[in-house]
Amino acid sequence: MRFLPIFRALLAQLLVLALLAVLVLILTRFDLRFPLAAVALLQGLGAALLGWRLGLSRWWLPINFAFVPALLLAQGLALPGWLAPLAFALLLLLNWNSAGERVPLYLTGRRTLQQLQALLSERDGGGRFVDLGCGLGSALCPLARAFPQRQFLGVETAPLSFLIAWLRSLPLRNCKVRYRSLWAQPLDEFEVVYCFLSPEPMMQLWQSARTQMRAGSWLISNSFAIPGVPASRTLQLEDWRGSRLLLWEMPGAELAATDPAG
């Protein structure tokens, strides 16, 4: 099991701090000294790069870069000492499900949302939509507002992410958020299943989808493919992450029985 992203970020911070501590100790023996601010910025750069090499998402780069410089700034401003552990706890609560479900927090961008709206517009009438691992509700709630005739459900197990998404969904009569694992959510009642997960759970999700989802329903994945299963449609989003939407239309029973991925 891979470590939670928050622990990989902490590991990157500690390793770079240790390396810099040894380097500074060596340089002081030669009477070479650097300003503390310069050391902090160098540590931030090293932690950001190492965190990226450890598999952290790109949005962790500014967090890792700014962590130690922010602590230094807080010390200079005499800010309360509990701010740092509070920030750590908040990040942990936002990414709590990364270990069990292998799904870090990703936020759905504006271009993705626009393309999802266009796709849903292709399907006539109402229908039900589920967001597996809905995070902060960044896709779920705007889509529910855009399609009041449809029913939307989001499932999430990171405590703080769930709370934020649940609060955002309260004003929407056609949207609900449940504290539930994506693996515990039945898929047979939905016409569209959306996810923004990670590479690791995609094959397991496909096995669930092909046995539960009805013929003609859609499985849509943001960015992550199902190994060995070509998507019915691939839509490039042309955003800064190079994202894409991959759509699989569920086959009928006869085609599903001959699916090579089964």
Side-chain angles (χ1 to χ4, degrees):
M1 181 179 292
R2 299 182 69 184
F3 288 113
L4 286 165
I6 187 69
F7 292 128
R8 279 183 271 160
L10 181 60
L11 177 63
Q13 295 287 342
L14 293 177
L15 287 176
V16 176
L17 273 174
L19 181 62
L20 277 179
V22 172
L23 179 62
V24 169
L25 204 58
I26 293 173
L27 291 177
T28 54
R29 292 181 176 273
F30 295 94
D31 202 26
L32 295 174
R33 301 181 184 277
F34 291 94
L36 187 57
V39 175
L41 290 174
L42 184 60
Q43 190 279 341
L45 179 61
L49 293 176
L50 180 57
W52 177 68
R53 292 295 298 170
L54 291 174
L56 292 174
S57 303
R58 292 182 182 178
W59 61 269
W60 277 96
L61 288 171
I63 295 175
N64 275 339
F65 175 76
F67 186 72
V68 167
L71 287 180
L72 184 63
L73 179 62
Q75 184 180 20
L77 297 176
L79 295 177
W82 48 262
L83 282 180
L86 175 62
F88 181 86
L90 290 176
L91 286 173
L92 184 61
L93 291 173
L94 285 169
N95 289 274
W96 187 258
N97 53 359
S98 296
E101 297 180 355
R102 297 162 292 167
V103 180
L105 174 64
Y106 292 115
L107 301 180
T108 297
R110 178 177 56 85
R111 290 182 181 272
T112 307
L113 189 58
Q114 291 172 345
Q115 191 61 68
L116 284 171
Q117 290 176 344
L119 286 172
L120 290 184
S121 297
E122 296 180 17
R123 299 187 70 96
D124 296 331
R128 303 197 68 194
F129 175 104
V130 64
D131 188 343
L132 300 178
C134 66
L136 308 182
S138 55
L140 184 72
C141 294
L143 288 175
R145 283 192 292 270
F147 297 93
Q149 77 280 13
R150 300 179 186 270
Q151 295 297 313
F152 291 81
L153 173 69
V155 296
E156 179 60 55
T157 54
L160 186 55
S161 298
F162 161 77
L163 178 61
I164 293 172
W166 179 75
L167 290 173
R168 292 181 67 182
S169 72
L170 288 181
L172 304 170
R173 299 184 62 181
N174 65 329
C175 183
K176 298 183 184 300
V177 176
R178 298 283 182 258
Y179 190 81
R180 180 182 299 164
S181 169
L182 63 94
W183 306 117
Q185 176 58 51
L187 305 178
D188 56 342
E189 57 192 276
F190 299 99
E191 283 71 34
V192 179
V193 175
Y194 171 71
C195 61
F196 192 2
L197 303 177
S198 73
E200 294 186 39
M202 290 306 297
M203 180 53 72
Q204 184 179 350
L205 176 61
W206 174 247
Q207 297 298 338
S208 298
R210 65 188 293 271
T211 57
Q212 295 183 40
M213 295 177 65
R214 297 193 297 266
S217 55
W218 288 350
L219 171 64
I220 302 175
S221 171
N222 190 332
S223 300
F224 302 113
I226 298 169
V229 184
S232 306
R233 296 164 64 180
T234 300
L235 306 172
Q236 299 295 335
L237 300 174
E238 298 180 357
D239 60 4
W240 65 273
R241 290 186 296 212
S243 305
R244 55 183 180 160
L245 286 181
L246 299 105
L247 185 153
W248 292 265
E249 183 167 348
M250 293 298 110
E254 298 81 4
L255 291 177
T258 60
D259 185 351

